[in-house]
Amino acid sequence: MFGRIRKLWPTDTTAPERKSTPNLFEAAATYVAASADDDQETIDEARTWVSPEALSFGVSELATRAVIALARERDESPETVARTLLGLPAA
């Protein structure tokens, strides 16, 4: 009986290879890095990974985290860092 069950049960235990879909943070990181490198092909590719709304949210989240990290590194306020990065006068 177990012999018949064993014949029916697949013996290959390796999982099939699947390509994972990039999440919104991967798309945002790729999009921003490609924008910094002026790599239009990669920018266009990253745009196809998620919806425009999700990409916008991811880019916003990345910007927020980057400003916070720079503010801590520079011992400045996030507002000062953001305004400096954008070339705006101090508030």
Side-chain angles (χ1 to χ4, degrees), residues 4 8 11 13-16 20-21 23-24 29 32-33 37 50 52 55 58 60 63 71-72 74 76 82 86 88-89:
R4 279 192 255 161
L8 296 174
T11 56
T13 58
T14 59
S20 64
T21 303
N23 67 35
L24 70 100
V32 169
D37 289 337
V50 295
L55 184 59
S60 176
R72 288 179 181 161
R74 297 177 180 182
E76 296 177 346
L86 292 172
L88 299 173

Side-chain angles (χ1 to χ4, degrees), residues 22-36 42-43 45-47 49-63:
N23 67 35
L24 70 100
F25 295 116
E26 290 170 322
T30 299
Y31 178 85
V32 169
S35 295
T42 304
I43 290 169
E45 181 182 344
R47 284 181 177 157
W49 294 348
V50 295
S51 71
E53 295 81 11
L55 184 59
S56 177
F57 174 79
V59 169
S60 176
E61 184 66 21
L62 177 58

Side-chain angles (χ1 to χ4, degrees), residues 1-10:
M1 179 174 156
F2 289 112
R4 279 192 255 161
I5 294 173
R6 204 173 296 139
K7 286 180 185 177
L8 296 174
W9 196 262

Side-chain angles (χ1 to χ4, degrees), residues 65-78:
R65 292 179 187 196
V67 167
I68 290 169
L70 281 172
R72 288 179 181 161
E73 184 179 293
R74 297 177 180 182
D75 197 27
E76 296 177 346
S77 73

